[in-house]
C-alpha cells in the first residue's frame, strides 16, 4: 500500500452551529472556530472537518445548500473563512469542508430556474417528471426523512421532482454532464483556496436505478427504503472516478466518503491506492440492529456485536486501504450513550470505548465533545426536538401504535439533536458556548461535564484522549499504531474486546473489559510497557491480567519469542 500524507493524522469533526458562538446570537460561527484553533492544536488533532457552512436555508442544518460559493451570514463571511484557512495553516492544521452534491437546496438558483422553466437547461439539472394529481407516482421510494421521494414541482401542478432527503433538498441529476462539470468547477474553486479536502456527503445516492421501479413495501405506508434502489443501482464508482480525476487527484486532497452499502467488489476502487476517495467512514457499528420499521424497533447494541462489527470492517479493508473510525458524528447518538449499557456510562467506560475505537487501524475521527465524554441530551416532548429526522421517526412510532412516551423514548435514543447540543466549554451559563440563547439548549449536565474542569483533572476523559493522540504521534510507536496490522485476540471471550497491532518490530496488545464486572484475560506474552491504562493499576499474575470493570489498556509486549 502506498504511503499517503494523511495516514498518521487524527481528525476532528466540528459541527459549526454548536461549537462556539462569537457574537452572542446563539449560533456557533467561524470566528468562534478561529478562536479555538489553539485548543484543537493542544488536543493534538491535525485534520478538521467542518460540517456545512455554505449559504443555506438550514432546512437540514446546512446540508441543503443554496450557494456553494458563499458562507451563510449566520456563520460569518468569506473573509472569516479565508482567515480561518490562513490561521489553520499557521498551526499546521488541515481544514476539510463538507461536500454536499447529491442534492442542493430548493432555494439554489439552479432549482429556482428549473421551476421557472422545467423544459429549459436547469430543468435537466434535477429529476423532474410529468405527473397529474391522482396518477401513480413513478416509484414507491421513501425519502430519508419520511414520505415519498416525490413532491410537486412548485408552480407546476402537472410535474413532480425527486428528493431522496427532505423536499427542500432536490437531487441533482448526475446523469447530466453539465451538472457534473459545474460541481467539479466548484470543488476546484475551494481547493484552490487552500482547502485540504472534503468529507463527501451521502455520495452513494448520486446513482439512481433508472428507469424508476417499485420495490416491495417495507412499512405500512406502502413505500420502501431507498436501500433497495441503491442495491440495484450500478455505476456510482464511474461518476466518482470522473470526479476524482477532475478534482481531488490533481490536488492530492484528502477525502472521506460517507459511503453506505457499497458493493464489496467496488471497495478497492473506493479506497484502494488509486481509489476515488482517500478513505471512507466505517458505519458497520452505527447500523447495527437497525430495523426497517424505524428507530422504535431498534435493539441496543451489545459488546459482542460491537466487537464483531469492528473486526469484520478491519478484515474487509486490511489489504485495501484505511477506514475512518468513529463512535459518533452529527447524525448519530453520542457514542458513550449508545454503546455503553444504560446506567453504566462511567468515566472508565467512556475511556474504554474511545480507546478501543481509537486504536483500530485506520484514521480516528473525533466528533466535537467526544473528547470530554459528552452524552445524549434528553427531551421530554417532541416540541423540544429540532431534528427533522427525529420528528419523522416520532410519527413513525406513533403510527405503529406506540404511546407518545414510548415514541419519545425512541427519539431520545436516536435523535440527531443528541450530538448537536452546544459544546460544553465550562460551567458558566450556556456552558460558555454563547452569551445569547443557544439555538439548541445545552445539556444540563454541563456543570459536571465540561472542558475547563477536565483540563484540571489528570484522570479526565479529555486527558485520556490526549494520551491516545500523543501515542499516535510518538515517533517510537507511530509505525505500529498507524500501519501495524490488526489481529483479533481471543474474539470468542465474551465481553472482552482485544486485538494485536503488529509491525515488523513491535507488538501492541489492546484490551478492553466491556462489562461492569472484572474479567481475567490470558496474556500471550510478557508485558514490556503499559502504554495506556484508563485506571491506575493493572492486576497481573502468571500469564494473565485481571481487568477491572471497563478497564482498558494498551500493552507493548516483548518481542515474539
Ligand atoms: O447523511 C446521510 C444519511 O442520512 C444516511 O444515513 C443515509 O440515510 C443512508 O445513506 C441511507 O442508508 C448525510 C448527512 O450526514 C446528514 O446530516 C444529512 O441530513 C444528509 O446526508 C442529507 O444531506
Ligand atoms: Ca454567532
Amino acid at each position: 500500500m502506498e504511503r499517503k500524507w494523511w495516514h498518521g493524522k487524527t481528525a476532528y469533526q466540528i459541527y459549526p452551529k454548536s461549537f462556539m458562538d462569537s457574537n452572542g446570537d446563539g449560533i456557533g460561527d467561524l470566528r468562534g472556530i478561529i478562536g479555538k484553533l489553539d485548543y484543537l492544536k493542544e488536543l493534538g488533532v491535525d485534520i478538521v472537518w467542518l460540517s456545512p457552512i455554505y449559504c443555506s436555508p438550514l432546512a437540514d442544518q446546512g446540508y441543503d445548500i443554496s450557494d456553494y460559493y458563499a458562507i451563510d451570514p449566520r456563520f460569518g463571511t468569506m473573509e472569516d473563512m479565508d482567515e480561518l484557512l490562513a490561521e489553520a495553516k499557521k498551526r499546521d492544521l488541515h481544514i476539510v469542508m463538507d461536500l454536499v452534491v447529491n442534492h442542493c437546496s430548493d432555494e439554489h438558483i439552479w432549482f429556482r430556474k428549473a421551476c421557472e422553466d422545467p423544459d429549459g437547461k436547469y430543468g435537466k439539472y434535477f429529476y423532474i417528471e410529468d405527473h397529474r394529481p391522482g396518477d401513480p407516482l413513478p416509484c414507491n421510494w421513501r425519502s430519508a426523512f419520511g414520505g415519498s421521494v416525490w413532491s410537486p414541482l412548485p408552480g407546476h401542478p402537472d410535474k413532480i421532482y425527486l428528493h431522496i432527503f427532505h423536499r427542500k433538498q432536490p437531487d441533482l441529476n448526475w446523469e447530466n454532464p453539465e451538472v457534473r462539470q459545474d460541481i467539479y468547477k466548484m470543488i476546484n474553486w475551494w481547493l484552490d483556496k487552500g482547502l485540504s479536502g472534503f468529507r463527501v456527503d451521502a455520495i452513494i445516492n448520486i446513482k439512481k436505478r433508472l428507469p424508476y421501479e417499485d420495490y416491495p413495501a417495507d412499512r405500512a405506508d406502502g413505500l420502501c427504503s431507498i436501500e433497495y434502489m441503491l442495491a440495484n443501482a450500478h455505476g456510482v464508482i464511474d461518476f466518482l472516478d470522473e470526479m476524482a480525476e477532475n478534482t481531488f487527484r490533481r490536488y492530492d486532497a484528502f477525502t472521506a466518503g460517507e459511503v453506505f452499502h457499497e458493493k464489496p467488489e467496488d471497495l478497492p476502487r473506493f479506497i484502494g491506492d488509486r481509489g476515488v476517495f482517500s478513505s471512507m467512514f466505517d458505519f458497520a457499528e452505527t447500523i447495527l440492529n437497525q430495523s426497517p420499521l424505524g428507530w422504535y424497533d431498534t435493539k441496543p447494541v451489545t459488546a459482542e456485536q460491537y466487537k464483531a462489527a469492528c473486526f469484520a470492517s478491519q478484515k474487509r479493508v486490511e489489504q485495501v486501504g484505511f477506514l475512518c473510525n468513529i463512535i459518533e458524528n452529527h447524525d448519530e447518538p453520542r457514542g458513550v450513550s449508545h454503546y455503553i449499557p444504560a446506567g453504566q456510562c462511567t468515566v472508565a467506560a467512556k475511556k474504554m470505548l474511545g480507546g478501543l475505537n481509537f486504536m483500530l487501524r485506520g484514521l480516528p475521527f473525533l466528533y466535537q465533545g467526544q473528547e470530554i465524554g459528552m452524552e445524549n441530551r434528553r427531551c421530554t416532548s417532541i416540541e423540544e426536538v429540532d431534528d427533522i429526522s427525529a420528528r419523522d421517526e416520532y410519527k413513525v412510532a406513533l403510527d405503529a401504535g406506540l404511546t407518545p412516551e414510548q415514541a419519545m423514548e425512541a427519539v431520545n435514543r436516536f435523535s440527531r439533536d443528541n450530538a448537536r447540543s452546544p459544546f460544553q466549554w465550562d460551567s458558566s451559563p450556556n456552558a460558555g458556548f454563547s452569551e445569547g440563547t443557544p439555538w439548541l439548549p445545552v445539556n444540563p449536565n454541563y456543570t459536571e461535564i465540561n472542558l475547563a474542569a477536565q483540563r484540571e483533572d489528570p484522570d479526565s476523559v479529555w486527558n485520556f484522549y490526549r494520551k491516545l493522540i500523543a501515542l499516535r504521534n510518538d515517533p517510537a510507536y507511530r509505525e505500529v499504531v498507524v500501519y501495524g496490522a490488526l489481529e483479533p485476540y481471543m474474539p470468542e471471550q465474551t465481553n472482552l474486546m482485544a486485538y494485536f497491532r503488529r509491525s515488523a518490530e513491535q507488538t501492541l496488545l489492546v484490551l478492553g473489559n466491556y462489562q461492569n464486572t472484572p474479567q481475567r484475560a490470558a496474556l500471550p506474552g510478557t508485558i514490556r510497557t503499559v502504554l495506556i491504562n484508563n485506571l491506575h493499576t493493572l492486576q497481573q499474575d502468571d500469564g494473565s491480567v485481571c481487568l477491572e470493570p471497563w478497564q482498558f489498556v494498551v500493552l507493548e509486549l516483548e518481542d515474539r519469542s
Side-chain angles (χ1 to χ4, degrees):
M1 224 171 288
E2 245 174 56
R3 300 234 158 167
K4 306 278 171 64
W5 66 265
W6 49 268
H7 276 164
K9 307 283 189 222
T10 300
Y12 187 93
Q13 179 187 358
I14 289 183
Y15 196 69
K17 203 173 183 186
S18 304
F19 190 59
M20 183 65 203
D21 173 22
S22 71
N23 62 353
D25 65 357
I27 296 178
D29 45 51
L30 289 176
R31 301 221 66 82
I33 297 173
I34 294 171
K36 295 296 182 188
L37 289 176
D38 287 331
Y39 165 67
L40 297 173
K41 207 56 204 168
E42 182 189 4
L43 179 61
V45 301
D46 315 283
I47 297 178
V48 179
W49 152 29
L50 306 181
S51 273
I53 46 169
Y54 312 87
C55 267
S56 163
L58 305 190
D60 185 21
Q61 298 305 355
Y63 285 90
D64 49 318
I65 297 170
S66 55
D67 186 349
Y68 291 96
Y69 292 93
I71 302 295
D72 192 278
R74 284 162 286 197
F75 295 124
T77 63
M78 194 57 82
E79 287 68 45
D80 295 334
M81 187 63 200
D82 290 335
E83 188 177 325
L84 172 62
L85 288 170
E87 289 299 316
K89 195 165 183 181
K90 280 187 202 159
R91 294 167 176 80
D92 212 14
L93 289 168
H94 296 269
I95 302 288
V96 163
M97 283 171 90
D98 223 303
L99 182 65
V100 188
V101 288
N102 172 67
H103 45 264
C104 59
S105 164
D106 66 340
E107 298 181 31
H108 193 286
I109 184 80
W110 295 338
F111 193 73
R112 288 198 271 124
K113 286 192 171 162
C115 292
E116 275 165 28
D117 179 13
D119 301 317
K121 167 173 161 135
Y122 291 101
K124 298 183 186 62
Y125 271 47
F126 299 92
Y127 294 95
I128 295 173
E129 294 291 318
D130 292 329
H131 180 263
R132 277 175 319 192
D135 282 356
L137 293 167
C139 59
N140 68 340
W141 310 344
R142 184 186 303 108
S143 92
F145 303 135
S148 168
V149 295
W150 296 101
S151 286
L153 188 71
H156 301 271
D158 57 340
K159 289 190 193 299
I160 51 177
Y161 70 96
L162 177 113
H163 53 89
I164 287 185
F165 293 90
H166 195 260
R167 70 189 148 69
K168 285 186 69 63
Q169 295 167 300
D171 281 51
L172 287 163
N173 183 358
W174 274 70
E175 305 294 337
N176 178 352
E178 281 184 278
V179 170
R180 305 205 298 271
Q181 288 308 322
D182 272 345
I183 290 172
Y184 305 157
K185 201 174 95 195
M186 178 274 289
I187 293 173
N188 290 335
W189 187 84
W190 279 105
L191 290 173
D192 282 334
K193 257 186 178 300
L195 207 67
S196 295
F198 293 95
R199 174 267 189 181
V200 190
D201 185 69
I203 198 65
I204 205 85
N205 298 285
I206 63 172
K207 186 74 193 186
K208 277 71 174 167
R209 165 87 182 193
L210 299 173
Y212 304 109
E213 58 190 16
D214 284 358
Y215 298 94
D218 58 6
R219 291 185 193 168
D221 60 6
L223 304 176
C224 72
S225 158
I226 203 76
E227 289 172 24
Y228 300 99
M229 179 284 279
L230 294 176
N232 286 286
H234 297 275
V236 68
I237 201 78
D238 299 319
F239 282 157
L240 297 179
D241 199 62
E242 184 190 270
M243 169 160 71
E245 201 52 32
N246 282 281
T247 60
F248 313 140
R249 286 180 189 140
R250 300 184 180 177
Y251 296 79
D252 197 15
F254 169 75
T255 50
E258 192 202 19
V259 177
F260 286 91
H261 318 295
E262 80 283 359
K263 306 202 169 34
E265 66 274 17
D266 281 347
L267 195 64
R269 293 189 66 194
F270 270 106
I271 58 166
D273 274 346
R274 241 148 296 283
V276 298
F277 298 134
S278 310
S279 181
M280 60 192 225
F281 290 92
D282 179 20
F283 290 118
E285 301 77 31
T286 63
I287 63 173
L288 280 169
N289 297 351
Q290 226 173 49
S291 163
L293 299 181
W295 290 353
Y296 74 87
D297 191 47
T298 301
K299 308 266 176 312
V301 174
T302 67
E304 290 306 289
Q305 289 178 318
Y306 182 77
K307 171 170 74 180
C310 288
F311 289 164
S313 293
Q314 293 281 319
K315 184 99 209 124
R316 215 156 46 89
V317 304
E318 63 184 2
Q319 303 299 334
V320 182
F322 280 68
L323 288 172
C324 301
N325 296 315
I326 58 166
I327 62 165
E328 63 196 35
N329 64 27
H330 66 293
D331 292 332
E332 297 296 323
R334 288 288 179 178
V336 296
S337 302
H338 186 59
Y339 297 113
I340 299 168
Q344 296 175 38
C345 195
T346 58
V347 167
K350 289 176 177 183
K351 293 176 181 170
M352 179 216 65
L353 182 71
L356 285 173
N357 187 265
F358 196 95
M359 291 302 295
L360 293 171
R361 184 176 165 283
L363 199 68
F365 259 77
L366 307 185
Y367 176 70
Q368 66 179 47
Q370 177 184 336
E371 75 272 32
I372 56 169
M374 279 179 64
E375 301 172 1
N376 282 352
R377 183 185 65 94
R378 287 189 73 78
C379 291
T380 43
S381 99
I382 194 68
E383 276 70 53
E384 299 165 34
V385 175
D386 172 82
D387 171 24
I388 49 178
S389 186
R391 286 170 166 269
D392 170 57
E393 293 281 351
Y394 180 75
K395 264 185 63 239
V396 168
L398 291 183
D399 291 347
L402 276 75
T403 65
E405 292 69 34
Q406 292 166 326
M408 272 317 288
E409 204 41 52
V411 164
N412 278 322
R413 282 176 60 210
F414 292 104
S415 171
R416 302 191 300 175
D417 286 358
N418 279 318
R420 298 177 180 185
S421 70
F423 190 98
Q424 295 163 206
W425 295 102
D426 56 40
S427 59
S428 70
N430 298 324
F433 161 72
S434 172
E435 285 175 2
T437 306
W439 73 280
L440 199 64
V442 295
N443 191 320
N445 69 14
Y446 74 89
T447 48
E448 255 124 71
I449 300 177
N450 65 68
L451 176 67
Q454 295 199 13
R455 255 181 211 284
E456 306 305 316
D457 172 7
D459 292 331
S460 66
V461 175
W462 187 72
N463 272 305
F464 181 77
Y465 271 102
R466 286 190 70 203
K467 282 182 208 148
L468 288 170
I469 299 172
L471 177 64
R472 191 170 164 83
N473 291 337
D474 182 343
Y477 294 98
R478 213 174 163 73
E479 183 65 25
V480 64
V481 171
V482 176
Y483 293 103
L486 183 143
E487 187 189 308
Y489 177 60
M490 302 205 300
E492 64 294 330
Q493 184 160 328
T494 310
N495 293 349
L496 175 74
M497 181 160 162
Y499 50 86
F500 294 107
R501 297 296 313 280
R502 289 190 203 276
S503 66
E505 266 88 50
Q506 285 165 306
T507 301
L508 306 186
L509 179 61
V510 178
L511 296 171
N513 181 19
Y514 211 128
Q515 61 181 17
N516 68 344
T517 49
Q519 159 160 227
R520 189 167 289 281
L523 281 183
T526 313
I527 301 175
R528 178 180 294 172
T529 330
V530 179
L531 294 173
I532 305 260
N533 185 352
N534 68 345
L535 303 177
H536 284 286
T537 54
L538 177 63
Q539 277 189 57
Q540 303 178 45
D541 46 45
D542 249 8
S544 72
V545 288
C546 184
L547 299 168
E548 294 297 326
W550 309 110
Q551 187 160 18
F552 169 85
V553 289
V554 179
L555 310 175
E556 183 181 9
L557 301 184
E558 296 291 353
D559 289 344
R560 270 177 287 174
S561 37

